[in-house]
């Protein structure tokens, strides 16, 4: 079963950028649909992005389109989230998730704080 660990969150100014990885360990990473969701204070989970196993098809929440990009490097068992034009509303804990034959897995989350 794949296990996921996010890293690279932090504090950035509005309009800035942030890129962070989700490193996977385990078998059959390339068969997993991977993605991201976030939880902001006082809010529930919100879909952010998804990417298929080969990394040639992606999906994004409307508010992230044109600003966020997810990609993956299966040779490194890693999926990435590139965040541009960040807004204070993007402040949240970001989680990496995956879905495969073994079920659903997710990471521990990483805090992203965007200052105004």
């Amino acid at each position: 079963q794949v296990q996921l660990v996010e890293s690279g969150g932090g504090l950035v100014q509005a309009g800035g950028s942030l890129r962070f990885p989700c490193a996977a360990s385990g078998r059959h990473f390339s068969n997993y649909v991977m993605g991201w969701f976030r939880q902001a204070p006082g809010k529930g989970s919100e879909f952010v992005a998804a990417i298929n196993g080969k990394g040639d098809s992606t999906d994004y929440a409307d508010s992230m389109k044109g600003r966020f990009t997810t990609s993956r490097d299966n040779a490194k068992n890693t999926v990435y989230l590139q965040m541009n034009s960040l807004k204070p509303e993007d402040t949240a804990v970001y989680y990496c998730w995956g879905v495969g034959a073994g079920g659903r897995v997710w990471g521990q989350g990483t805090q992203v704080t965007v200052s105004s």
Side-chain angles (χ1 to χ4, degrees):
Q1 183 177 357
V2 169
Q3 294 181 305
L4 307 174
V5 179
E6 308 96 332
S7 61
L11 175 65
V12 297
Q13 294 182 333
S17 298
L18 189 66
R19 174 182 169 89
F20 52 86
C22 172
S25 62
R27 299 179 180 179
H28 309 301
F29 173 75
S30 63
N31 293 331
Y32 276 67
V33 175
M34 303 294 298
W36 305 85
F37 70 92
R38 68 186 186 184
Q39 291 185 325
K43 298 181 180 179
S45 297
E46 180 182 17
F47 172 79
V48 173
I51 185 168
N52 71 341
K54 292 185 177 181
D56 58 3
S57 181
T58 56
D59 189 28
Y60 301 93
D62 287 342
S63 63
M64 288 79 167
K65 290 180 179 177
R67 299 192 301 121
F68 291 7
T69 303
T70 189
S71 60
R72 65 193 296 164
D73 186 341
N74 288 342
K76 296 182 178 180
N77 278 18
T78 302
V79 62
Y80 302 90
L81 184 64
Q82 175 71 46
M83 309 166 67
N84 298 325
S85 301
L86 285 164
K87 307 173 182 179
E89 306 90 87
D90 295 319
T91 295
V93 177
Y94 285 73
Y95 296 86
C96 175
W97 58 261
V99 179
R104 298 183 181 184
V105 295
W106 56 90
Q108 83 286 352
T110 186
Q111 176 70 49
V112 173
T113 302
V114 184
S115 62
S116 61

